[in-house]
Amino acid sequence: MTVSVIETKLSDDEVHIGEEEVDDWGSFEHETSEQIVRLFKEGTPVANGSYVVPKGVAVEPLKNYKGHKDLKNKCPDDVRKMLTEKNLFNVYDQFVEEIVNTKQTRGSLGKWKDAQFISVLDQFRDEFTAKGVKVAFCKRKSQNGTYRWLEFIDVEALSGEAYVPQYDAANLSGQIIRTMYTKLQFPNGVAVEELKQWKGRDKLKDKMPVYVKKMMEKKDLMNEYNQLVDHVVEAGVGANWKQWKIENLREIMEVYKPKFADKGVDIYICHKQEYVSHGQYGGHVEYYRWIEFVDREEQPSYQPQRSAEEKEQKCIIM
């Protein structure tokens, strides 16, 4: 099994099978700036606890199937309170009515069509923005299922706190990591470098991903990047089997984090693992590894989707 980062258009394909959730603020604090920790610790969990939005952001969950019924008949209290205070509830009602009446926003079984939903939302953005509220249609997809929600962001309440919704489906870069059961998508301002399982060291040296190259050139980080890659190839594996060793990779990231941070980029080593069943013959575990480069100018509040700090992992054969 290999991992590939590809460019793609917004897709309505979904996998609904389960997901491991992480609630480990210790590792989050270890890897993340004080400003981001403060921003999210007082927030509201979404997507079954896998992500947290900060205080000042009201959330409306969107059911995957026939969600238009709840959208029409139920409005979360915090959403109602915010929009009433901003004199925006009439705009919200018109927006919801348009979503419900536009059948193209839903497919078979009432499943949301993301691009069509965003198209309707775009018609109302200016009215929300004019009164200090930004609206984002968010989607998080993983092994455990697909979660959608709306974020209503009170710009005044977050004054002085930089926040960009990292799962905003209208701000996806097109970078995707496909795994056995799902795909991970990344927003603009985040560049992804794979650590492949098969001949990973050779492939890391052979080709630089387009998004990574653009960011390194923009931030004048090409020399630091080349040093990082050389160090990962040399010391990111075990001594005997030349397998990726997560402990080694973590240590390497710690060496280079300050160098990249000085130029506005945070770096993270990330992982995901999935158990693949062989039925009566048992199964095996597939491992995925990658580096995330985060431009803090574009993504000031971004958290790594699958930080390797969350749990110990074994090596993977290259």
Side-chain angles (χ1 to χ4, degrees), residues 25-221:
W25 282 103
S27 62
F28 178 54
E29 290 176 347
H30 176 80
E31 286 235 331
T32 313
S33 72
E34 181 180 344
Q35 183 268 338
I36 300 176
V37 172
R38 181 179 68 253
L39 184 65
F40 286 97
K41 265 207 166 182
E42 297 180 355
T44 302
V46 296
N48 199 27
S50 57
Y51 180 61
V52 176
V53 299
K55 187 177 180 181
V57 179
V59 174
E60 177 148 20
L62 299 170
K63 288 186 176 179
N64 287 319
Y65 295 98
K66 296 184 179 179
H68 64 289
K69 294 182 178 180
D70 278 357
L71 184 63
K72 179 181 179 180
N73 299 320
K74 300 177 182 178
C75 177
D77 291 340
D78 56 344
V79 173
R80 182 182 296 275
K81 182 175 184 293
M82 176 190 292
L83 299 183
T84 299
E85 290 175 352
K86 297 287 184 178
N87 196 26
L88 277 169
F89 203 77
N90 287 338
V91 176
Y92 169 83
D93 273 342
Q94 294 170 21
F95 161 62
V96 169
E97 183 178 4
E98 187 67 20
I99 287 289
V100 171
N101 290 339
T102 305
K103 294 183 179 179
Q104 289 82 0
T105 59
R106 304 178 298 279
S108 59
L109 301 178
K111 184 177 72 174
W112 293 116
K113 291 186 175 181
D114 301 337
Q116 288 82 349
F117 192 110
I118 292 170
S119 179
V120 173
L121 174 58
D122 286 342
Q123 300 172 35
F124 294 87
R125 287 190 193 276
D126 289 345
E127 293 183 76
F128 283 104
T129 302
K131 295 187 177 181
V133 174
K134 294 182 179 179
V135 185
F137 172 82
C138 298
K139 178 180 177 181
R140 188 180 192 274
K141 191 171 183 179
S142 65
Q143 186 177 347
N144 226 10
T146 299
Y147 302 93
R148 293 179 176 85
W149 66 94
L150 290 170
E151 292 187 20
F152 296 89
I153 304 165
D154 186 338
V155 176
E156 183 179 5
L158 284 171
S159 178
E161 301 284 6
Y163 172 68
V164 174
Q166 72 182 61
Y167 292 105
D168 184 353
N171 192 37
L172 294 176
S173 65
Q175 298 171 96
I176 289 177
I177 290 182
R178 293 189 182 276
T179 71
M180 177 65 73
Y181 294 123
T182 188
K183 64 181 179 181
L184 303 175
Q185 297 176 287
F186 300 88
N188 291 306
V190 177
V192 181
E193 178 93 43
E194 304 174 53
L195 301 178
K196 291 181 179 290
Q197 298 184 66
W198 178 250
K199 295 185 178 179
R201 294 195 299 163
D202 292 338
K203 292 176 181 177
L204 186 62
K205 293 281 287 186
D206 286 345
K207 188 175 181 180
M208 187 177 186
V210 172
Y211 284 89
V212 175
K213 183 178 181 180
K214 287 181 178 179
M215 185 182 294
M216 297 305 104
E217 291 176 343
K218 173 186 175 183
K219 295 293 185 176
D220 190 26
L221 277 166

Side-chain angles (χ1 to χ4, degrees), residues 278-289:
H278 299 170
Q280 62 178 322
Y281 302 104
H284 73 280
V285 176
E286 289 287 346
Y287 297 91
Y288 307 88
R289 300 287 187 275

